[in-house]
Amino acid sequence: MDGAGFPETRSTCPYCGVGCGVLLRADGQGGLDVRGDPDHPANRGRLCSKGSALAETVGLEGRLLAPRIDGQDATWDDALTLVADKFRAAIDTHGPDSVAFYVSGQLLTEDYYIANKLMKGFIGSANIDTNSRLCMASTVAGHRRAFGTDTVPGTYEDLDEADLVVLVGSNLAWCHPVLHQRVLAAKQARGTKIVVIDPRRTATCDGADMHLPLQPGSDVALFNRLLVTLYEGGALDNAYLRHTQGFDAALDAAFNDKTAVTGLSDAQIDAFCQLWMRTEKVVTVFSQGVNQSSSGSDKVNAILNCHLATGRIGQPGMGPLSVTGQPNAMGGREVGGLANMLACHLDIENPDHRAAVRDFWQAPAMPEAPGLKAVDMFRAVGDGRIKALWIIHTNPAVSMPDADAVRTAIKGCDFTVVSDITAQTDTARLADVLLPATAWAEKEGTVTNSDRTISRQRAVLPATGQARPDWAILAEVGARMGFAKAFDYATPAEIFREYAALSGIAGRLGRDFDISGLKGLTDAGYDRLTPTRWPVTEARQGGRFFGDGAFFHADGKARLLPVSHRAPAAKTAPRYPFRLNTGRVRDQWHTMTRTGLSPRLSAHLAEPFLDIHPDDARAQGIVPADLVRVTSPQGRAILRARITDAVQPGQVFAPMHWTGETAPSARIDALVAPVTDPVSGQPESKASVVAVQPFAAAWYGFAVSRTDMVPDCAYWARMRTQAGWRAELAGEAPVADWEAEALRLFGLPQGETAVILDAARGIARVAVFAGGRLQGALFVAPEPVAVMRDHLATLPGQEAHGVLSGRPPADMPDPGPVLCACFNVGVGTLLRAIEGDGLLSVDAVGAALQAGTNCGSCKPEIAALLRAAQVREAAE
Ligand code: SF4
């Protein structure tokens, strides 16, 4: 309890699958204080930049406050009745497979459980899939093939105890920063070696001992070579192999694979294989670079093969570790959120499993076959097979591959419901019915992180507007569809107890997921629940799996799979010569509906971009800061070029966060082909083919404003700032009156303007004031505008004398783009300190400027600045 009388409450960060514990304290005015929970085993008090900025994302801005039908506010009663009636009508007329739920790793386990129960047990279809399909379905498939269940064998503690951590397709420094800090701490404490396997040189490479920039999609060939090396080097664990099947076939396939496809030298491959072979305590961490591939499941099994063949699994400091992208991706896997699973890791195609769940739920209608996976689901929406669709806490009109086609499909669906916290998303705009859901910090439930730790999310703020918990919304629709008895829940604790009881049945059927030890949890016990790693039974709690060689296939043995390299599905050709990789940036989350509310986070990378190699840029006539048009067989985008050798020739990278709300021409998933892994159904989001050309803009602009802007031009990207908004602009058509255009952009009917015009050179600068304070400023030039953006972004609301110069006064240095979000330290400030004060290390920078001393997420970038400065100095 603090001086103001508000207690601190333990909860969990709502972003990535690390699942960091947070301590929340409401300020009594709708706001929060947030700090890392020192007692949570995932983070021990640490938070990354996103977690540290959580308090900036809980306001009312953008919230959906009331149900809406056809864009008009409605009562809950009318909205729920309409949803139930429409779903019932579709089912009665077209059958249960004419409806679908598309849900999210943002859902709490209790919400997920109710959605899954309603669809699979009572509607009688398996057409429920989750955006986790885009994230780690290939890991699920690989685990099930190898282990017999979707089991994560190890724990985060293995990262502390490993002597070698191999990061495959994982930019851990940006996507799971707290785990990355943990790996770096192990390196410091015990000399843990770090290997990064990634086509790109990412921030994660800065702390690594070895970077293998393999060709996209060639991971199977590399790990097959490792398996051969382990065999030839006598590193197999023959005793452990007795707990497995399939080694000979896997080895044959490995011998037949060729490493040339990796693009790596023999020396690079040999160095990696020897290091892996000689190091007993090895953890192989893998993420989206492995999963988001048309051969993702095979990649996972190629990795698992090596751990199984050496018995390096389920022991301290050893094993494969999949890290998930979402806070409750694991909970969704456990509860049956995927279209091909039942709850508690039970199999939908197994009649005994189906019967057990049917009896437990007293379900009237159970599907006998898997439902539609995400890509197929939206195809079915597009061709009219799905008549009623319910999308919950996800934004498929942006985030699905072939996003333009998905947007068209949703728009054309007979009836679409969207439950969300945000009123205006690309998907919410398409809904017939919008349902306001409670947000993080307003809702109660559990999540499971990447190492099987179940943690509570707790409510510390009241529900906003008329928002309701997702489980309650789903249960109410279930009741109105005629299943009142089965969906009569009063609390999430009640749902959790039912789920835990069902898991006991799953345990008796030989499944790994068993938390039946929690089925008797009282409401008070649920309130108090501390982070708990499953399984939780009378016999055991937590721990690692498979160290004893006991697996979940019927014969109790693991399977090594014969896997062979398969190239990405899309082939480069003269028309589409570049391979497009997509991914995350450090300070944004998914489609930015929450992190985009934080000015601090938005200052790191304020504009969508395309990384392209210098040789390719030269060949295409692209110079720094150019805009480029990127075209694929599916769609097109306009992005800012960043010329960098972090990507290889022939490859380009673009982030996946920007939407129709923030940069309509940068919806990168519109370019991604809807091809999937044949086993997992996961889309290949990192290997589409594209063409890249300079974008011929008639003019370029940069603007800052106190209020949100309404751009209307070929390219725009807007971001929040401490003082309002900033936007990058470019147009193809000339503008006759820039003063009028500025007033329109800033949404002002009139204002006191200051204008510099040089029509002959195509230059215009317009500042608009009200009461002597800057409302907005627009800078236009025939080439990318050269002004001090980060300085200008601070000026709205100020008197801002001299704003039209576009630069700060001589005595006020430009801070540059923010690198350290925690202490708001910009690149300009860092460079001045590094070069002016002769700082030589990340620690010295931290001591001088605090940068990097809180969450540490920016440390790799500070290290890169230091290295670049040292290179410059050496060259002088
Ligand atoms: Fe949240 Fe960052 Fe922890 Fe992920 S690493 S759970 S985003 S604080």
Side-chain angles (χ1 to χ4, degrees):
M1 192 80 75
D2 76 350
F6 293 102
E8 273 192 324
T9 299
R10 292 199 141 78
S11 191
T12 316
C13 174
Y15 296 128
C16 82
V18 178
C20 295
V22 289
L23 290 169
L24 309 179
R25 179 187 285 137
D27 64 9
Q29 296 166 354
L32 278 181
D33 284 335
V34 181
R35 67 185 177 104
D37 180 352
D39 296 329
H40 197 289
N43 58 316
R44 301 171 189 154
R46 275 195 175 279
L47 293 177
C48 75
S49 49
K50 293 185 284 289
S52 300
L54 272 167
E56 295 173 34
T57 67
V58 295
L60 276 177
E61 187 179 343
R63 285 295 296 273
L64 176 63
L65 299 173
R68 287 187 196 165
I69 299 173
D70 296 332
Q72 304 298 317
D73 281 2
T75 65
W76 267 111
D77 192 45
D78 286 349
L80 292 169
T81 298
L82 181 62
V83 173
D85 288 352
K86 288 284 189 180
F87 271 73
R88 170 56 62 207
I91 294 161
D92 289 347
T93 309
H94 303 284
D97 288 333
S98 68
V99 303
F101 294 169
Y102 185 61
V103 300
S104 159
Q106 295 289 320
L107 285 178
L108 305 184
T109 298
E110 293 75 1
D111 306 322
Y112 249 133
Y113 179 83
I114 297 300
N116 191 49
K117 179 176 176 180
L118 177 57
M119 181 55 80
K120 289 186 181 139
F122 289 80
I123 289 175
S125 170
N127 283 346
I128 173 170
D129 211 37
T130 158
N131 61 3
S132 296
R133 179 73 61 191
L134 316 184
C135 173
M136 25 37 62
S138 295
T139 292
V140 175
H143 282 169
R144 293 178 74 201
R145 292 199 300 188
F147 307 146
T149 58
D150 175 23
T151 313
V152 172
T155 69
Y156 291 161
E157 285 76 43
D158 293 327
L159 297 172
D160 310 331
E161 298 179 44
D163 293 318
L164 171 62
V165 174
V166 181
L167 300 163
V168 195
S170 160
N171 184 6
L172 205 70
W174 279 19
C175 301
H176 302 90
V178 167
L179 283 190
H180 186 242
Q181 293 295 317
R182 205 159 164 165
V183 174
L184 293 180
K187 183 180 178 69
Q188 199 158 32
R190 58 186 290 141
T192 302
K193 292 268 188 292
I194 302 171
V195 175
V196 176
I197 298 172
D198 194 317
R200 280 196 303 151
R201 193 181 71 245
T202 64
T204 306
C205 297
D206 280 306
D209 299 276
M210 188 187 294
H211 172 213
L212 300 180
L214 79 179
Q215 287 298 305
S218 64
D219 312 61
V220 168
L222 179 63
F223 280 88
N224 269 345
R225 180 64 229 170
L226 175 60
L227 188 65
V228 170
T229 304
L230 296 168
Y231 169 75
E232 292 177 339
L236 304 180
D237 184 336
N238 290 316
Y240 196 83
L241 276 172
R242 282 198 284 276
H243 301 297
T244 72
Q245 279 189 14
F247 173 75
D248 290 342
L251 186 65
D252 282 351
F255 265 116
N256 288 328
D257 234 358
K258 300 285 179 286
T259 55
V261 294
T262 64
L264 302 170
S265 68
D266 290 346
Q268 284 175 304
I269 293 171
D270 196 48
F272 164 64
C273 292
Q274 291 296 325
L275 180 62
W276 206 103
M277 183 169 71
R278 289 198 313 268
T279 314
E280 188 184 24
K281 289 193 165 189
V282 54
V283 176
T284 307
V285 177
F286 54 98
S287 191
Q288 315 302 30
V290 167
N291 292 325
Q292 291 179 332
S293 162
S294 58
S295 60
S297 305
D298 287 355
K299 290 182 182 181
V300 172
N301 286 106
I303 293 168
L304 301 184
N305 283 350
C306 295
H307 281 276
L308 289 168
T310 51
R312 294 175 184 174
I313 186 167
Q315 303 282 355
M318 356 180 164
L321 178 65
S322 133
V323 284
T324 56
Q326 295 201 73
N328 200 28
M330 286 280 281
R333 282 152 69 167
E334 291 149 16
V335 82
L338 293 163
N340 52 325
M341 298 289 295
L342 283 176
C344 306
H345 288 178
L346 292 165
D347 296 332
I348 205 163
E349 285 154 305
N350 183 317
D352 294 337
H353 291 189
R354 282 201 309 273
V357 178
R358 182 175 52 235
D359 292 350
F360 182 81
W361 282 341
Q362 298 186 5
M366 293 282 295
E368 298 189 354
L372 295 167
K373 296 171 183 151
V375 169
D376 291 334
M377 179 183 286
F378 283 100
R379 279 199 186 110
V381 173
D383 65 25
R385 279 176 286 152
I386 299 295
K387 311 289 184 190
L389 172 68
W390 192 347
I391 298 165
I392 306 181
H393 289 298
T394 183
N395 199 355
V398 178
S399 55
M400 283 292 295
D402 205 2
D404 287 350
V406 169
R407 184 170 60 183
T408 303
I410 298 169
K411 201 170 177 179
C413 187
D414 288 356
F415 184 68
T416 301
V417 189
V418 172
S419 302
D420 211 325
I421 65 169
T422 308
Q424 301 282 353
T425 71
D426 293 34
T427 303
R429 287 181 185 282
L430 307 174
D432 296 292
V433 176
L434 269 173
L435 301 176
T438 45
W440 177 80
E442 299 171 2
K443 58 185 182 180
E444 298 275 353
T446 56
V447 291
T448 310
N449 72 1
S450 296
D451 82 341
R452 290 182 277 113
T453 300
I454 298 170
S455 299
R456 281 293 319 270
Q457 276 197 11
R458 294 183 171 92
V460 293
L461 298 175
T464 294
Q466 298 181 40
R468 294 183 180 180
D470 290 288
W471 64 264
I473 298 170
L474 284 153
E476 187 59 36
V477 169
R480 287 171 195 232
M481 290 179 73
F483 313 121
K485 188 158 169 261
F487 291 92
D488 181 19
Y489 300 99
T491 64
E494 216 176 299
I495 299 166
F496 186 84
R497 284 190 287 271
E498 180 179 311
Y499 176 46
L502 176 58
S503 78
I505 294 170
R508 288 197 287 282
L509 286 166
R511 299 290 85 187
D512 58 338
F513 183 79
D514 186 345
I515 57 168
S516 56
L518 298 172
K519 71 181 181 194
L521 212 57
T522 62
D523 287 359
Y526 182 78
D527 282 345
R528 286 194 305 270
L529 187 66
T530 53
T532 303
R533 186 174 290 135
W534 64 260
V536 188
T537 67
E538 282 178 13
R540 69 175 284 195
Q541 176 174 334
R544 298 173 176 86
F545 280 95
F546 310 139
D548 59 358
F551 292 89
F552 293 95
H553 284 296
D555 60 3
K557 294 187 175 186
R559 303 287 188 272
L560 283 85
L561 272 283
V563 288
S564 304
H565 168 74
R566 276 184 287 124
K571 307 294 176 223
T572 53
R575 190 164 172 206
Y576 298 111
F578 295 100
R579 201 164 278 294
L580 171 68
N581 186 355
T582 66
R584 293 179 174 169
V585 300
R586 191 191 76 192
D587 286 354
Q588 295 296 348
W589 176 255
H590 281 195
T591 55
M592 296 198 289
T593 50
R594 282 182 303 193
T595 46
L597 297 171
S598 162
R600 266 198 298 159
L601 296 179
S602 301
H604 179 232
L605 290 166
E607 189 183 14
F609 57 85
L610 184 85
D611 282 347
I612 184 166
H613 190 273
D615 295 348
D616 292 329
R618 210 173 300 116
Q620 302 299 118
I622 296 163
V623 298
D626 263 0
L627 288 171
V628 290
R629 192 184 284 286
V630 189
T631 314
S632 84
Q634 278 67 42
R636 51 202 341 220
I638 303 170
L639 302 166
R640 185 76 59 185
R642 295 198 323 182
I643 299 172
T644 168
D645 63 3
V647 292
Q648 298 182 50
Q651 300 174 23
V652 291
F653 171 84
M656 44 75 97
H657 306 288
W658 275 265
T659 69
E661 299 287 310
T662 48
S665 72
R667 297 167 56 253
I668 201 66
D669 278 299
L671 280 71
V672 172
V675 294
T676 58
D677 178 287
V679 182
S680 69
Q682 178 153 0
E684 184 154 68
S685 301
K686 291 181 172 291
S688 298
V689 292
V690 295
V692 181
Q693 286 141 349
F695 172 69
W699 55 268
Y700 294 81
F702 175 73
V704 294
S705 171
R706 249 183 129 157
T707 54
D708 199 358
M709 288 176 263
V710 194
D712 180 17
C713 48
Y715 171 79
W716 59 264
R718 64 181 168 190
M719 271 288 194
R720 226 171 235 82
T721 66
Q722 297 285 359
W725 292 81
R726 61 188 279 178
E728 299 285 347
L729 312 159
E732 291 171 296
V735 174
D737 183 344
W738 280 112
E739 189 174 346
E741 177 60 19
L743 288 167
R744 193 204 63 72
L745 176 66
F746 303 136
L748 298 169
Q750 58 191 23
E752 310 148 27
T753 56
V755 181
I756 297 174
L757 276 178
D758 183 341
R761 291 167 57 210
I763 289 172
R765 296 188 172 193
V766 183
V768 183
F769 295 85
R773 304 211 167 251
L774 183 70
Q775 303 304 300
L778 171 64
F779 301 80
V780 179
E783 64 281 328
V785 179
V787 291
M788 300 287 197
R789 286 165 164 73
D790 301 284
H791 161 69
L792 291 171
T794 66
L795 296 185
Q798 309 291 317
E799 291 183 353
H801 300 299
V803 58
L804 292 185
S805 74
R807 57 189 62 248
D811 60 348
M812 188 194 291
D814 180 24
V818 168
L819 201 100
C820 170
C822 298
F823 294 109
N824 201 24
V825 186
V827 173
T829 307
L830 286 160
L831 284 175
R832 279 189 294 278
I834 290 169
E835 291 172 354
D837 302 339
L839 304 181
L840 293 174
S841 68
V842 174
D843 287 345
V845 169
L849 299 171
Q850 289 185 290
T853 58
N854 182 37
C855 74
S857 305
C858 61
K859 280 182 170 178
E861 289 155 278
I862 296 173
L865 286 182
L866 283 160
R867 257 199 320 282
Q870 283 153 12
V871 168
R872 275 197 301 277
E873 193 179 312
E876 282 166 3

